[in-house]
Amino acid sequence: MANYKTKLHKIKAFVFDVDGVLTDGMVQVSENGDLLRTYNSKDGLAIREAVESGYPIAIITGGSSETIKVRFTILGVKESDIYLRSRVKTPDFEHFCKKYNLQPDEVLFMGDDLPDIAPMRVCGLPCCPADAVPDVKAVAEYISIRNGGDGCVRDIIEQVMKVQGKWDTSAPPASSF
Amino acid sequence: MANYKTKLHKIKAFVFDVDGVLTDGMVQVSENGDLLRTYNSKDGLAIREAVESGYPIAIITGGSSETIKVRFTILGVKESDIYLRSRVKTPDFEHFCKKYNLQPDEVLFMGDDLPDIAPMRVCGLPCCPADAVPDVKAVAEYISIRNGGDGCVRDIIEQVMKVQGKWDTSAPPASSF
Amino acid sequence: MANYKTKLHKIKAFVFDVDGVLTDGMVQVSENGDLLRTYNSKDGLAIREAVESGYPIAIITGGSSETIKVRFTILGVKESDIYLRSRVKTPDFEHFCKKYNLQPDEVLFMGDDLPDIAPMRVCGLPCCPADAVPDVKAVAEYISIRNGGDGCVRDIIEQVMKVQGKWDTSAPPASSF
Amino acid sequence: MANYKTKLHKIKAFVFDVDGVLTDGMVQVSENGDLLRTYNSKDGLAIREAVESGYPIAIITGGSSETIKVRFTILGVKESDIYLRSRVKTPDFEHFCKKYNLQPDEVLFMGDDLPDIAPMRVCGLPCCPADAVPDVKAVAEYISIRNGGDGCVRDIIEQVMKVQGKWDTSAPPASSF
């Protein structure tokens, strides 16, 4: 991971998996059979700060619950950039890149499990939480010191925005969500 | 646990308890009095991968909530292989074996508390999470390094499928659930 | 805590606080404003085993949610032995003792916070989880190695029933709940 | 943090952020898209004890869920002192001070993330949980040994009330909530 820091400068957009990245991987089954997830407010603040600074952000998940859209549209992510039921993630990753006229190597991807490996191989900076599965860690160029749901997303967004001079602690977004 | 690995080769099916194995043992009581459980997405991916590779999987639990069926049928487990309200688990274990024409010693069973001891004594490879009660650990031939709800199911499914050449990381199932 | 073990022999009944003892102290506020709690299945099995062996069990809590009753009546605790909205706990403790013709020194009480101190001073064996507040630890004769919600109730019930020859692992209750 | 203890004597009121202070920062998205939070009962007892002793308490949060009000009004906090959707927190902090005729340096503020820094700079004793972000820790005069949602609020309320002779363990409020 010696030189992942040099790649932080060229990142123009972020893509995140949900389960195990933006959550700790746990899903609660509700009485009606919906799958409920629990998110981290420090991650949320970073996503909102990135959105307000103009970074496109995509969510690409195998999950299908509409509540995933609720959480991220509140933070400013565009609903059309939230890919649910993604069984093979690379095409969705490429769709997102084209939409914003981004080269894949300008896009950071953070995932934690096997379906994330393929897009991680083609993105600009493959990242994962500390508790990703070994096969994912093997392809990651940056392994966060944070686990999924415990701030790994905040960690990497903050690093990118800081090296690019965009992380302004004096005018933070509301932590509202 | 020296030779549990030799037994991985002959395993043709899996049986799992729910509370304390597929969860961390915690249940939330909802406003309507239903008992809500929280599951691990990395376990989920392994169950789906095992189902897609043709391994029969049974869930045998003392729990009675219909939401248990929701979680596992989404992953591909057959509803008729989900045994709720199982007060004495061995008959249910044997029923499952007969249904699929399996010898008990071809079936792996993972449990964590007293009701699991009896079926663990007759199955092919008795396993438990790291935080199983001492009496269960005493009869387990493999104690996962993972706790219940923290990936013990993923751990053992992955081990079995890897020694049998069935764990294909290049074509994973969607993590969807 | 040298001689708390000698007191285990005379215990005929159990009283438990809820928040911080039978849970980790966390309460989720639902959309309707109800307070939802999350319980431990290993504690649950021990409570059911104690009930089936004939030990009276009381729940004395400052909490007011009806869902508390749901959880413990499922396990076999009598609804009339579940004291909600208990602002001063000693009278409720004494009411329970009289109902079952128990001397206070035959009853174990496990609590974790200030309202539990008074009944702990008059019970037969004051106990607390490892993460009780310091003032409660100061009056406890047994401090479990387990935290609230992490099996402290299972720990103490199992110890009592084992010294009294009532803990039968060969015929466990269903873990059902 | 050598002399934060001298400041405990002059504190007459408390202000708390919610996410990451009164919770561990995690929010669950419900089926209806509401954001559900989980609170600590030991923090709750301290808030009730402070309210009953006459300390004004404000909640200032970027969050917007009405369930936040439910949780704290149950504990005795006045609904008009619960500031939701606070995007810039200092004006709300000052509004609270004026309402109770308090000097800012008589008011303790505990926060954990960037939006809390500004009011922490003007309050009498800026505090944060152990797991606050580094920029917040840099302005805090007291960093609790407890994480958000794990008793950091109990920790600081108890310290203030003890040095002021107001923490009465013999007549605790009910832990009810």
Side-chain angles (χ1 to χ4, degrees):
Chain A
M1 302 198 290
N3 65 353
Y4 85 91
K5 288 199 176 185
T6 65
K7 296 195 175 180
L8 297 175
H9 294 275
K10 67 172 179 181
I11 297 304
K12 294 182 179 172
F14 299 90
V15 180
F16 299 108
D17 172 40
V18 174
D19 293 306
V21 174
L22 284 154
T23 77
D24 64 0
M26 304 305 287
V27 287
Q28 183 178 43
V29 181
S30 78
E31 285 167 293
N32 301 320
D34 201 355
L35 300 178
L36 306 182
R37 292 165 171 86
T38 300
Y39 301 97
N40 184 301
S41 59
K42 290 187 177 78
D43 285 350
L45 187 141
I47 290 174
R48 182 179 282 277
E49 182 128 350
V51 167
E52 293 188 359
S53 291
Y55 294 91
I57 293 184
I59 306 295
I60 303 181
T61 173
S64 59
S65 173
E66 293 297 314
T67 64
I68 296 172
K69 289 186 182 172
V70 171
R71 195 286 193 273
F72 295 105
T73 54
I74 289 173
L75 295 173
V77 177
K78 286 182 188 166
E79 186 167 340
S80 54
D81 295 337
I82 301 173
Y83 299 82
L84 304 185
R85 302 176 194 78
S86 181
R87 290 193 67 89
V88 184
K89 293 189 173 184
T90 306
D92 288 332
F93 174 78
E94 292 169 343
H95 180 270
F96 170 70
C97 292
K98 269 181 202 149
K99 205 188 327 181
Y100 289 95
N101 204 24
L102 294 157
Q103 298 302 312
D105 71 352
E106 295 168 334
V107 183
L108 183 153
F109 189 105
M110 183 175 259
D112 78 310
D113 209 342
L114 305 185
D116 302 309
I117 291 175
M120 286 173 74
R121 289 191 191 282
V122 299
C123 80
L125 180 51
C127 302
C128 71
D131 58 346
V133 302
D135 289 311
V136 167
K137 284 182 170 177
V139 302
E141 294 184 35
Y142 174 65
I143 301 173
S144 176
I145 57 166
R146 294 279 184 177
N147 284 343
D150 191 38
C152 61
V153 169
R154 170 69 170 259
D155 170 33
I156 194 62
I157 289 180
E158 200 172 318
Q159 287 195 53
V160 168
M161 292 182 70
K162 278 181 173 169
V163 303
Q164 299 185 7
K166 299 270 185 67
W167 187 260
D168 182 0
T169 62
S170 65
S175 62
S176 169
F177 45 143
Chain B
M1 300 198 291
N3 66 353
Y4 83 91
K5 288 200 176 183
T6 64
K7 295 194 175 180
L8 297 175
H9 294 275
K10 67 173 178 181
I11 297 304
K12 294 183 179 171
F14 299 90
V15 180
F16 298 108
D17 172 40
V18 174
D19 294 305
V21 173
L22 284 154
T23 78
D24 64 1
M26 304 305 286
V27 287
Q28 183 179 44
V29 182
S30 78
E31 285 167 293
N32 302 319
D34 202 355
L35 300 178
L36 306 182
R37 291 165 171 86
T38 300
Y39 301 97
N40 183 301
S41 59
K42 292 188 176 78
D43 285 349
L45 187 141
I47 290 174
R48 183 178 281 278
E49 182 128 351
V51 166
E52 292 187 0
S53 291
Y55 294 90
I57 293 185
I59 306 295
I60 303 182
T61 174
S64 59
S65 173
E66 293 297 313
T67 64
I68 296 172
K69 289 187 182 171
V70 170
R71 196 287 192 271
F72 295 104
T73 54
I74 288 173
L75 294 174
V77 177
K78 287 182 187 165
E79 187 168 338
S80 54
D81 295 337
I82 301 173
Y83 298 81
L84 305 185
R85 303 177 193 78
S86 181
R87 291 192 67 89
V88 185
K89 293 189 172 184
T90 306
D92 288 332
F93 174 78
E94 291 169 344
H95 180 269
F96 170 70
C97 291
K98 269 182 202 148
K99 205 188 325 181
Y100 289 96
N101 204 23
L102 295 157
Q103 297 303 311
D105 72 352
E106 295 168 333
V107 183
L108 182 152
F109 190 105
M110 183 175 261
D112 77 310
D113 209 341
L114 305 185
D116 302 309
I117 292 175
M120 286 174 74
R121 289 191 191 283
V122 298
C123 80
L125 180 51
C127 302
C128 71
D131 57 347
V133 301
D135 289 311
V136 166
K137 284 182 169 176
V139 301
E141 293 184 35
Y142 174 65
I143 301 174
S144 176
I145 56 166
R146 294 278 185 178
N147 285 343
D150 191 38
C152 61
V153 168
R154 170 69 169 260
D155 170 34
I156 194 62
I157 289 178
E158 201 172 318
Q159 286 195 53
V160 167
M161 291 183 69
K162 278 181 172 169
V163 303
Q164 298 185 9
K166 300 268 185 67
W167 187 260
D168 182 1
T169 63
S170 65
S175 61
S176 168
F177 46 144
Chain C
M1 301 198 291
N3 64 354
Y4 84 92
K5 289 200 176 183
T6 64
K7 295 194 175 181
L8 297 175
H9 293 275
K10 67 173 178 181
I11 298 302
K12 293 182 178 171
F14 299 90
V15 180
F16 298 108
D17 173 40
V18 174
D19 294 306
V21 173
L22 284 153
T23 78
D24 64 0
M26 304 305 286
V27 287
Q28 184 179 43
V29 182
S30 78
E31 286 166 294
N32 301 320
D34 202 355
L35 300 178
L36 306 183
R37 292 165 171 87
T38 300
Y39 301 96
N40 183 301
S41 59
K42 291 187 177 78
D43 285 349
L45 187 140
I47 290 174
R48 183 179 280 279
E49 182 128 351
V51 166
E52 293 187 0
S53 291
Y55 294 90
I57 293 185
I59 306 295
I60 303 182
T61 174
S64 59
S65 173
E66 293 298 313
T67 63
I68 296 172
K69 289 187 183 171
V70 170
R71 195 287 192 271
F72 295 103
T73 53
I74 289 173
L75 295 173
V77 177
K78 287 182 188 165
E79 187 168 338
S80 54
D81 295 337
I82 301 174
Y83 298 82
L84 305 184
R85 302 177 193 78
S86 181
R87 290 192 68 88
V88 184
K89 293 189 173 184
T90 307
D92 288 332
F93 174 78
E94 291 169 344
H95 180 269
F96 171 69
C97 290
K98 269 180 202 150
K99 205 187 327 180
Y100 289 96
N101 204 23
L102 294 157
Q103 297 302 313
D105 72 351
E106 295 168 335
V107 183
L108 183 153
F109 190 106
M110 183 176 260
D112 77 310
D113 209 340
L114 304 186
D116 302 309
I117 292 176
M120 286 173 75
R121 289 192 193 281
V122 298
C123 81
L125 181 50
C127 302
C128 71
D131 57 348
V133 301
D135 289 310
V136 166
K137 284 182 170 177
V139 301
E141 293 184 34
Y142 174 66
I143 301 173
S144 175
I145 56 166
R146 294 278 184 177
N147 284 344
D150 191 37
C152 62
V153 168
R154 171 69 170 261
D155 170 32
I156 195 61
I157 290 179
E158 200 172 318
Q159 287 195 52
V160 167
M161 292 182 69
K162 277 181 173 169
V163 302
Q164 298 185 6
K166 300 269 184 66
W167 187 259
D168 182 0
T169 62
S170 66
S175 62
S176 168
F177 43 145
Chain D
M1 301 197 291
N3 65 353
Y4 84 92
K5 288 199 176 184
T6 64
K7 295 195 175 180
L8 298 175
H9 293 276
K10 67 173 177 181
I11 297 304
K12 293 182 178 171
F14 299 90
V15 179
F16 298 108
D17 172 41
V18 173
D19 293 306
V21 173
L22 283 154
T23 77
D24 64 0
M26 304 305 285
V27 286
Q28 184 178 44
V29 182
S30 78
E31 285 166 294
N32 301 319
D34 201 355
L35 300 178
L36 306 182
R37 292 166 170 87
T38 300
Y39 301 96
N40 183 301
S41 59
K42 290 187 178 78
D43 284 350
L45 187 140
I47 290 174
R48 182 179 281 278
E49 182 128 351
V51 166
E52 293 188 359
S53 291
Y55 295 90
I57 293 184
I59 306 294
I60 302 182
T61 174
S64 59
S65 173
E66 293 297 313
T67 63
I68 296 172
K69 288 187 183 172
V70 170
R71 196 287 193 270
F72 295 104
T73 53
I74 289 173
L75 295 174
V77 177
K78 287 182 188 164
E79 187 167 339
S80 55
D81 295 337
I82 301 173
Y83 298 82
L84 304 185
R85 303 176 193 79
S86 180
R87 290 192 69 89
V88 184
K89 293 189 173 184
T90 307
D92 288 332
F93 174 78
E94 291 169 344
H95 180 270
F96 171 70
C97 291
K98 269 180 202 150
K99 204 188 327 180
Y100 289 96
N101 203 24
L102 294 158
Q103 296 302 312
D105 71 352
E106 295 168 333
V107 182
L108 183 154
F109 190 105
M110 183 175 259
D112 78 310
D113 209 341
L114 305 185
D116 302 309
I117 292 176
M120 286 173 74
R121 289 192 193 280
V122 298
C123 79
L125 181 51
C127 302
C128 72
D131 58 348
V133 302
D135 289 311
V136 167
K137 284 182 170 177
V139 301
E141 293 184 35
Y142 174 66
I143 301 173
S144 176
I145 56 167
R146 294 278 185 178
N147 285 344
D150 192 36
C152 61
V153 169
R154 171 68 170 261
D155 171 32
I156 194 62
I157 290 179
E158 200 172 319
Q159 287 195 53
V160 168
M161 292 182 70
K162 278 181 172 169
V163 302
Q164 299 185 7
K166 300 269 184 69
W167 187 260
D168 182 0
T169 62
S170 66
S175 62
S176 168
F177 41 147

